Amino acid sequence: MDQNNSLPPYAQGLASPQGAMTPGIPIFSPMMPYGTGLTPQPIQNTSSLSILEEQQRQQQQQQQQQQHQLFHSQTLTTAPLPGATPLYPSPLTPMTPITPATPASESSGIVPQLQNIVSTVNLGCKLDLKTIALRARNAEYNPKRFAAVIMRIREPRTTALIFSSGKMVCTGAKSEEQSRLAARKYARVVQKLGFPAKFLDFKIQNMVGSCDVKFPIRLEGLVLTHQQFSSYEPELFPGLIYRMIKPRIVLLIFVSGKVVLTGAKVRAEIYEAFENIYPILKGFRKTT
Amino acid sequence: MVLMVYVCKIFFCRFSLGDARRPLHETVVLVEDVVHTQLINLLQQAAEISQLRGARVISAEDLLFLMRKDKKKLRRLIKYLFIRDYKSKIVKGIDEDDLLEDKLSGSSNTNKRQKFAQDFLNSIDQTGELLAMFEDDEIDEVKQERMERAERQTRIMDSAQYAEFCESRQLSFSKKASKFRDWLDCSSMEIKPNVVAMEILAYLAYETVAQLVDLALLVRQDMVTKAGDPFSHAISATFIQYHNSAESTAACGVEAHSDAIQPCHIREAVRRYGRKIGPLSPFTVRSRWAASVVTIG
């Protein structure tokens, strides 16, 4: 790469002042974009060769711009290699198929916060909902509306649906441990009411996280380039619904930059999904 | 009538090209008129069908039945229903209160609308074409074009404009349901539409506005005679019409808003669409161009 530094800017596209065809830059350098051997610099030369180069340079710039617009995610996240001249274009990957690529870049630095955890547990015995509703505090039961007792506790702040089969759903916790703790508390309440409640098959069914990327996002661009994964119907719902395949998470992306992630069974899936989407979102950042 | 002018205005903001953020008032009024007429016609036809069925309310089935001839439109409607179901399902899982609400209401709402539509089409489908739509994964060209247009528009906007644009996109006829109902003036009718039917009508109203704008943009594009157009020598009767309309463009009073859609564009679009007059004209597929147009009225 040293030879690039030593050549003056105007001559970098030429091997020699006589205008030989071979450019002075090794074609197979990993720094070069595919298929071109020129750098986008203004060349004042008026020889026929330079006109050809001019055309090629303009083409390359156009290509870059197009690629720049569509595949932002690849260009922005790679830093220039040490020793390279700043005059080189940043290395562009060739046109890749439209899939959410996971670039090997620095992490976003934003950690999604868990907002809601839904878990289920089996208390292992049949329950008499009327008894529970009558004797427990903070319990409501309306058999005509819904065939379960709705119970709430304040710490951790959660709601439970308790069914006569002994199955229970616990919602509203902000972490896995809190969800488990809350479920245990509900089980103890049921136990104290005289039922032989156990604590079987506790399982987290769904985790919801949210965060803010702190910049506005141009959703129209995102829905066009990631059509297979996104659906955006603003008259129905102000956010774009993005179905990520790996991990299997659904993201709700809003113009304001807020992102909601749902459908996770473990916390790591939420973090992974966010790290996947962050570079893509950066590419569709709405700049003023 | 006046109630909807505001909504239509905002719709235009989002659909118009480039910087026509303030659509012409005359155009908006005209579009509202056209949409209103179309919907009233559709409602009346649907009422007739309900009566045939012996039902007391107009339901979604009647509307689906009316649209059975236009596959593309029907497919778009079904996709819309599907997305609606899907969105309810997702959003429900987010908030614990929503989750509770859903459980309390007792119904398994997942895919309710789409399943319903599928069942109905199953019952009327004799050749299997309608059901094939559900498995069909073809790209909806009109929707694709709209997405691309929106993408082009938004790329050049700044943050403030974009925020306004997004807000305007979120407006829909279904949000102000009671106003929509009043505007349609269902009270004079014997048979009224039910909730699901109203949803579909709101969607159709929205689609009509969208289609009108798509067509008006096409018309406007055609009116500009291109220098190197190889077909300019093959003048057909319709082309002469363009010129007449082009003159009336001048008469229309082309103001500073040269980017905004003029009422004459809308009129030309409707005229082209309604060229064939006859009792079955809305239900015949005349050409690819016409087939993509809304099948009501």
Side-chain angles (χ1 to χ4, degrees):
Chain A
M1 301 299 151
D2 283 340
Q3 65 185 75
N4 305 319
N5 280 330
S6 61
L7 285 175
Y10 71 83
Q12 278 195 341
L14 304 167
S16 69
Q18 280 82 26
M21 283 303 286
T22 50
I25 303 133
I27 296 179
F28 300 105
S29 152
M31 288 288 290
M32 291 318 296
Y34 263 54
T36 60
L38 303 167
T39 60
Q41 273 123 56
I43 297 172
Q44 302 301 320
N45 218 311
T46 51
S47 71
S48 57
L49 173 67
S50 72
I51 293 172
L52 178 69
E53 283 174 346
E54 188 93 7
Q55 284 174 353
Q56 281 181 315
R57 177 173 48 89
Q58 274 168 7
Q59 253 179 23
Q60 183 200 344
Q61 265 181 351
Q62 262 181 2
Q63 247 182 21
Q64 272 184 21
Q65 266 180 0
Q66 275 173 9
Q67 286 186 355
H68 198 58
Q69 270 156 8
L70 284 180
F71 300 105
H72 255 91
S73 53
Q74 272 102 7
T75 51
L76 290 178
T77 53
T78 46
L81 299 177
T85 65
L87 299 166
Y88 265 82
S90 49
L92 293 168
T93 55
M95 301 291 242
T96 55
I98 304 169
T99 50
T102 22
S105 63
E106 74 280 6
S107 83
S108 58
I110 304 175
V111 179
Q113 298 296 311
L114 291 179
Q115 299 295 341
N116 183 20
I117 314 259
V118 178
S119 57
T120 54
V121 71
N122 187 357
L123 299 176
C125 63
K126 291 270 177 287
L127 303 172
D128 180 14
L129 297 183
K130 233 188 281 184
T131 317
I132 297 177
L134 281 172
R135 294 173 48 196
R137 274 177 288 173
N138 305 325
E140 36 179 287
Y141 179 46
N142 196 342
K144 288 204 190 104
R145 271 188 87 197
F146 188 49
V149 167
I150 302 168
M151 203 184 288
R152 295 173 218 268
I153 58 175
R154 245 166 281 159
E155 188 54 49
R157 209 175 147 279
T158 49
T159 309
L161 301 175
I162 307 172
F163 295 84
S164 54
S165 61
K167 298 247 173 77
M168 182 170 80
V169 177
C170 174
T171 70
K174 298 272 196 253
S175 81
E176 304 92 318
E177 303 76 41
Q178 282 194 1
S179 194
R180 194 187 186 94
L181 177 64
R184 287 205 102 97
K185 287 194 179 176
Y186 289 115
R188 209 171 314 134
V189 169
V190 171
Q191 235 175 27
K192 286 212 189 116
L193 291 175
F195 298 93
K198 299 185 265 299
F199 199 74
L200 309 168
D201 307 325
F202 174 80
K203 183 167 182 240
I204 307 260
Q205 299 292 349
N206 185 27
M207 300 174 72
V208 179
S210 75
C211 56
D212 191 354
V213 300
K214 304 280 198 314
F215 54 77
I217 304 169
R218 195 167 63 90
L219 298 178
E220 282 78 9
L222 180 59
V223 74
L224 193 62
T225 41
H226 292 252
Q227 275 179 53
Q228 310 97 300
F229 309 101
S230 14
S231 90
Y232 178 44
E233 303 284 327
E235 66 275 4
L236 258 188
F237 186 63
L240 184 151
I241 303 178
Y242 191 103
R243 267 178 292 187
M244 196 175 282
I245 309 287
K246 193 178 174 325
R248 254 200 46 167
I249 299 282
V250 172
L251 299 91
L252 302 177
I253 303 166
F254 296 86
V255 179
S256 57
K258 297 234 170 22
V259 180
V260 175
L261 308 98
T262 177
K265 291 276 196 290
V266 292
R267 187 187 280 247
E269 282 174 2
I270 293 204
Y271 296 153
E272 193 188 334
F274 183 70
E275 290 304 317
N276 285 351
I277 202 80
Y278 187 68
I280 297 170
L281 295 182
K282 272 206 291 190
F284 291 102
R285 176 183 195 140
K286 186 74 195 146
T287 49
T288 313
Chain B
M1 278 273 226
V2 185
L3 295 171
M4 288 322 236
V5 169
Y6 176 73
V7 182
C8 269
K9 212 175 219 167
I10 312 293
F11 268 127
F12 260 107
C13 281
R14 69 162 278 223
F15 283 117
S16 306
L17 268 177
D19 59 9
R21 283 164 55 219
R22 297 280 168 263
L24 289 178
H25 185 75
E26 304 88 52
T27 321
V28 172
V29 171
L30 180 61
V31 166
E32 191 186 313
D33 199 17
V34 172
V35 172
H36 192 253
T37 319
Q38 299 274 26
L39 280 181
I40 295 290
N41 282 344
L42 181 68
L43 259 182
Q44 279 170 351
Q45 283 171 0
E48 280 163 32
I49 294 192
S50 306
Q51 265 173 345
L52 279 177
R53 279 198 305 138
R56 283 182 299 145
V57 288
I58 300 177
S59 84
E61 296 160 332
D62 304 313
L63 294 172
L64 284 174
F65 182 75
L66 278 177
M67 292 182 63
R68 72 194 181 286
K69 295 286 176 80
D70 189 350
K71 299 267 176 36
K72 286 198 179 139
K73 208 72 249 289
L74 197 51
R75 188 155 43 114
R76 210 175 302 152
L77 173 61
I78 288 169
K79 275 219 170 83
Y80 171 79
L81 293 176
F82 170 70
I83 292 178
R84 225 191 149 116
D85 284 336
Y86 185 66
K87 165 238 156 194
S88 311
K89 188 170 75 160
I90 301 286
V91 174
K92 175 192 75 184
I94 305 282
D95 194 357
E96 56 160 308
D97 294 326
D98 280 348
L99 182 69
L100 239 47
E101 275 294 321
D102 181 69
K103 291 263 189 273
L104 286 174
S105 63
S107 53
S108 57
N109 280 337
T110 48
N111 291 345
K112 171 179 80 166
R113 292 178 188 89
Q114 196 208 5
K115 190 164 185 316
F116 167 77
Q118 200 163 1
D119 287 343
F120 173 67
L121 287 177
N122 196 2
S123 67
I124 64 169
D125 191 6
Q126 288 172 333
T127 55
E129 298 179 294
L130 295 173
L131 278 183
M133 267 195 313
F134 285 91
E135 281 100 53
D136 201 355
D137 248 352
E138 258 176 43
I139 298 179
D140 188 344
E141 290 166 351
V142 175
K143 214 169 165 67
Q144 181 74 14
E145 197 195 302
R146 285 184 202 162
M147 276 204 289
E148 284 171 12
R149 196 193 306 149
E151 201 273 325
R152 278 199 302 268
Q153 275 178 266
T154 52
R155 214 186 299 158
I156 54 179
M157 287 183 189
D158 64 28
S159 291
Q161 283 177 331
Y162 184 60
E164 206 185 312
F165 180 83
C166 281
E167 260 186 58
S168 72
R169 278 197 82 170
Q170 289 170 23
L171 287 169
S172 80
F173 289 100
S174 46
K175 294 277 170 60
K176 304 193 174 170
S178 56
K179 258 193 181 171
F180 183 63
R181 257 199 129 92
D182 292 338
W183 181 64
L184 279 182
D185 197 20
C186 303
S187 49
S188 55
M189 296 176 48
E190 289 175 7
I191 302 185
K192 302 203 202 317
N194 69 4
V195 175
V196 187
M198 283 304 280
E199 273 179 15
I200 296 185
L201 281 173
Y203 170 72
L204 286 178
Y206 172 85
E207 263 297 305
T208 313
V209 176
Q211 292 281 17
L212 275 176
V213 175
D214 284 346
L215 291 174
L217 289 173
L218 261 179
V219 167
R220 190 173 75 180
Q221 204 178 9
D222 280 346
M223 278 184 184
V224 175
T225 46
K226 301 176 206 58
D229 190 355
F231 293 104
S232 57
H233 66 276
I235 299 175
S236 62
T238 48
F239 195 67
I240 295 172
Q241 281 278 358
Y242 296 3
H243 278 289
N244 290 340
S245 310
E247 279 160 48
S248 60
T249 311
C252 270
V254 177
E255 316 159 347
H257 296 285
S258 55
D259 285 3
I261 299 177
Q262 313 283 338
C264 44
H265 296 138
I266 304 279
R267 273 190 217 106
E268 172 68 14
V270 175
R271 186 202 67 82
R272 276 203 230 174
Y273 167 69
R275 221 174 348 180
K276 225 195 219 172
I277 308 166
L280 291 176
S281 62
F283 302 108
T284 53
V285 176
R286 287 184 294 280
S287 65
R288 243 199 78 229
W289 180 87
S292 63
V293 167
V294 111
T295 330
I296 53 179

